[in-house]
Amino acid sequence: MTCRLLPLLFLLLGLSITHAETPVSEALNDLDQVLADRDRYIRQKKARIDALMTEKRHTRPEDLFFLYDRIYSEYKTFIYDSAFTYARNMQHEAYRSNDPTRVAYARIKLAFILLSSGMFNEALDTLHAIRERHLPDTIHTELYAVLARTYYDLVDFNRDQYFTERYTQLGNQYVDSALHYIGSRSGEYLHLRSMKHLRMNNFQAASADLERMLSAFTLTDASLAIAASTLGYIYQQQGRIEDAKLMLIRASMADNRSSTKETLAILNLAELLYKDGDVARAYAYVKHAMDDANFYGARHRKIQVAAIFPIIEGNKLDTVDRQRKLLFAYALVITALSVITVIFAVIIYKQFKKIQEADKSIKEANASLQESNTLLQEVNSHLMEANKIKEEYIGFYFNINSEYLVKIEAFKQAIDNKLMAKKYDDIRFVVNNINLKKEREELYFSFDKVFLKLFPDFVTTFNSFFKEEDRIVLKEGQLLNTELRIFALIRMGIHDTEKIAKILDYSINTIYNYKARVKSKSLVPNEEFERRIMQIEAI
């Protein structure tokens, strides 16, 4: 039994030493929370689109162009097919109004969607068909910016040495043309200029522009994602890997908040995490990237994801296979031990049937000890933020475990003595001396005492959630009752009802009934109750 406890204790100590949070790990936790809410962000996006569709029924024909533009803006980084449809609708309305500015504007929007889906030639054909004369400066700026991005994306997609120089040169020329029409004090100016610096491998100038853009301007999530993602790439090229991760995390969070599906930030982040050995997170993020690419319908993004997905997936499968083999080895050992146990049980079954009862009691005591160890591990993992809590409960469970080991050793010695003396009838007396109920009550009393030492105001604060007549009044000598103990365990971070039921030796339904009865009397809304419990502070 001691040998089985030691690895667990070393594991707990190791976790308390090595599991310190870093800025990147904290940011990754924040990203995971945003990803968990991605369905909510998508519902919000669809709600905005539905509202625009409803508005369409009451829009005058002469205003349809502007409404289609708003719908297009919702779809352009969300769903390619729908964005393409509304870009075409804008184009139709522009031709119907015979307005050259609207025609050019609609063509630029259509070209942007074609570019986003990886249809580079079609995007260039659409852009080059625009008649540039007599267009407003804003249209010139957007036209040249999209042309620049098209040629830059062609460089990234083709990766052909022969065409790279030509495409880069054309992209730079179009950036210069766009900068000519835009104010030098705008965030868009800094973004366009950083694109050119980046393509000229002037990482310092590019990062300076983007850092100024992020700090000096209030950006939408879409603009923030683009700037942060680009800056993350630059930091990566400069060897600033931790800063690169933070920027890519920031970009990925902004992408998810805006329901942007045409993105590379989370894929690049997955690649960095994979190189650092965080295969599990890398696999989860690359799956997000694949889902986004499929959802949007971007051909070139699917190709980019497909290039790294098999590598990460293969590594994950190798890890799973190693774990499977390790579990198989454990299973063989356990099976062998089980066979040996059965053989001995068959040999001595008729002569020592009473010993089986004693063995059953030992197993029950061992199960109780394992439950205590499980509780220790769960409590310890949630007490790393408070050194006082960690020290108190590690000491508490060491004492409990030591007492159980001593009792089990004494029990084993007593059985051995009776067997050696062939006093088989006395074994039942030894077994009957084990008072599991008393042992459990002592365990609860020790838990209550340590918990109230750490949370001396717990009962008072708990009672403040109820009317005077519904508050809990403890009996004399009683530290906590069952209701208080359930929520004390929740305050210690044990939210799983099944675990609470095992610890308190109740059924799951009984725990549910206790919790429901308490919450029904509370002045606090049911959905807020456990959060308020978690806000009760320790010493």
Side-chain angles (χ1 to χ4, degrees), residues 254-300:
D255 280 331
N256 276 274
R257 286 195 301 266
S258 61
S259 294
T260 296
K261 302 299 182 182
E262 202 286 301
T263 175
L264 267 180
I266 199 165
L267 177 63
N268 292 334
L269 176 61
E271 189 172 2
L272 285 181
L273 294 176
Y274 171 72
K275 291 178 180 178
D276 279 352
D278 192 350
V279 178
R281 247 196 183 113
Y283 180 74
Y285 290 171
V286 81
K287 283 192 68 178
H288 277 295
M290 178 64 79
D291 292 341
D292 287 345
N294 289 328
F295 188 95
Y296 181 76
R299 298 163 177 79
H300 61 312

Side-chain angles (χ1 to χ4, degrees), residues 421-457:
K422 297 186 178 181
K423 296 181 179 180
Y424 307 129
D425 293 335
D426 292 344
I427 293 176
R428 181 178 296 276
F429 175 76
V430 174
V431 172
N432 291 335
N433 278 340
I434 299 175
N435 191 340
L436 293 179
K437 180 178 179 181
K438 180 180 178 182
E439 294 292 333
R440 188 174 294 276
E441 289 175 352
E442 291 179 358
L443 175 64
Y444 292 159
F445 180 80
S446 298
F447 169 82
D448 296 347
K449 184 168 62 175
V450 175
F451 179 83
L452 291 176
K453 181 180 179 182
L454 296 170
F455 297 90
D457 298 328

Side-chain angles (χ1 to χ4, degrees), residues 169-266:
Q169 183 180 12
L170 286 170
N172 291 343
Q173 289 175 0
Y174 283 120
V175 167
D176 290 338
S177 297
L179 293 176
H180 175 74
Y181 288 98
I182 194 170
S184 61
R185 296 184 179 180
S186 67
E188 181 63 18
Y189 184 92
L190 293 173
H191 176 244
L192 288 171
R193 191 170 68 176
S194 71
M195 288 171 55
K196 181 179 178 181
H197 288 319
L198 178 59
R199 296 297 167 169
M200 300 301 292
N201 292 325
N202 189 351
F203 297 130
Q204 185 173 357
S207 62
D209 281 343
L210 291 171
E211 287 167 355
R212 183 184 170 196
M213 179 181 172
L214 290 172
S215 62
F217 296 92
T218 301
L219 305 177
T220 64
D221 277 329
S223 298
L224 170 63
I226 294 172
S229 179
T230 306
L231 193 54
Y233 170 79
I234 293 171
Y235 286 159
Q236 187 178 354
Q237 299 304 308
Q238 293 176 325
R240 298 166 58 182
I241 302 302
E242 296 303 296
D243 291 336
K245 289 179 186 176
L246 289 172
M247 278 298 156
L248 290 173
I249 292 169
R250 190 175 177 185
S252 299
M253 292 173 67
D255 280 331
N256 276 274
R257 286 195 301 266
S258 61
S259 294
T260 296
K261 302 299 182 182
E262 202 286 301
T263 175
L264 267 180
I266 199 165

Side-chain angles (χ1 to χ4, degrees), residues 269-435:
L269 176 61
E271 189 172 2
L272 285 181
L273 294 176
Y274 171 72
K275 291 178 180 178
D276 279 352
D278 192 350
V279 178
R281 247 196 183 113
Y283 180 74
Y285 290 171
V286 81
K287 283 192 68 178
H288 277 295
M290 178 64 79
D291 292 341
D292 287 345
N294 289 328
F295 188 95
Y296 181 76
R299 298 163 177 79
H300 61 312
R301 295 294 183 236
K302 293 179 184 179
I303 294 173
Q304 289 171 313
V305 174
I308 186 174
F309 186 79
I311 299 173
I312 296 177
E313 186 176 37
N315 192 291
K316 180 175 174 57
L317 289 175
D318 288 342
T319 301
V320 171
D321 187 59
R322 287 195 297 270
Q323 292 174 344
R324 182 186 61 79
K325 291 179 179 178
L326 184 61
L327 289 174
F328 181 72
Y330 288 156
L332 287 178
V333 173
I334 294 172
T335 301
L337 292 175
S338 300
V339 170
I340 294 172
T341 302
V342 170
I343 292 173
F344 277 102
V346 170
I347 294 173
I348 65 175
Y349 176 75
K350 293 182 179 180
Q351 298 176 342
F352 303 106
K353 188 174 181 179
K354 293 180 181 181
I355 295 180
Q356 291 179 338
E357 295 296 327
D359 184 61
K360 181 179 178 181
S361 299
I362 292 174
K363 288 180 179 179
E364 290 175 355
N366 184 55
S368 176
L369 178 60
Q370 289 177 342
E371 289 177 5
S372 298
N373 287 337
T374 301
L375 179 60
L376 171 63
Q377 185 177 11
E378 292 174 356
V379 171
N380 188 65
S381 66
H382 289 284
L383 296 181
M384 286 188 291
E385 294 180 358
N387 289 330
K388 177 63 178 177
I389 297 175
K390 179 184 68 176
E391 293 170 0
E392 290 290 340
Y393 271 90
I394 285 179
F396 165 62
Y397 277 99
F398 264 114
N399 290 336
I400 291 295
N401 290 342
S402 297
E403 291 174 5
Y404 274 120
L405 289 173
V406 170
K407 291 177 181 179
I408 291 172
E409 181 63 29
F411 180 76
K412 178 178 176 297
Q413 185 62 48
I415 294 296
D416 286 343
N417 290 340
K418 298 300 180 184
L419 289 176
M420 291 177 65
K422 297 186 178 181
K423 296 181 179 180
Y424 307 129
D425 293 335
D426 292 344
I427 293 176
R428 181 178 296 276
F429 175 76
V430 174
V431 172
N432 291 335
N433 278 340
I434 299 175
N435 191 340

Side-chain angles (χ1 to χ4, degrees), residues 16 23 37 135 160 184 262 314 344 362 399 413 498 510 521:
S16 65
D37 289 341
L135 294 177
D160 183 272
S184 61
E262 202 286 301
F344 277 102
I362 292 174
N399 290 336
Q413 185 62 48
E498 183 177 354
T510 301
K521 297 179 181 180

Side-chain angles (χ1 to χ4, degrees), residues 1-135:
M1 184 66 66
T2 303
C3 294
R4 293 165 64 183
L5 284 172
L6 286 176
L8 174 61
L9 298 178
F10 287 134
L11 174 61
L12 293 173
L13 292 174
L15 285 174
S16 65
I17 294 172
T18 62
H19 198 58
E21 290 286 337
T22 65
V24 170
S25 63
E26 291 178 357
L28 286 171
N29 291 335
D30 293 339
L31 173 57
D32 289 340
Q33 183 59 52
V34 172
L35 291 175
D37 289 341
R38 67 186 309 186
D39 289 341
R40 177 169 63 87
Y41 296 125
I42 290 175
R43 287 195 299 271
Q44 292 172 354
K45 166 75 80 171
K46 290 181 176 179
R48 293 195 298 270
I49 293 172
D50 290 341
L52 291 173
M53 293 301 182
T54 302
E55 185 178 340
K56 179 181 175 183
R57 301 173 195 158
H58 311 290
T59 302
R60 297 178 302 175
E62 59 269 25
D63 294 330
L64 280 175
F65 178 86
F66 303 104
L67 179 62
Y68 289 153
D69 185 26
R70 291 163 62 194
I71 298 175
Y72 161 86
S73 296
E74 292 290 346
Y75 275 127
K76 69 178 182 179
T77 57
F78 187 53
I79 301 176
Y80 162 75
D81 290 337
S82 299
F84 179 82
T85 297
Y86 282 95
R88 293 285 296 168
N89 288 346
M90 288 173 59
Q91 196 172 37
H92 173 76
E93 293 299 321
Y95 281 123
R96 193 170 65 81
S97 66
N98 198 26
D99 185 337
T101 300
R102 291 188 183 182
V103 171
Y105 182 84
R107 281 184 173 273
I108 293 171
K109 299 302 181 184
L110 178 62
F112 179 86
I113 290 303
L114 293 170
L115 166 63
S116 297
S117 68
M119 302 173 68
F120 301 108
N121 289 333
E122 292 81 355
L124 288 173
D125 290 342
T126 302
L127 292 169
H128 287 310
I130 296 174
R131 298 178 181 178
E132 300 182 31
R133 295 181 61 186
H134 308 300
L135 294 177

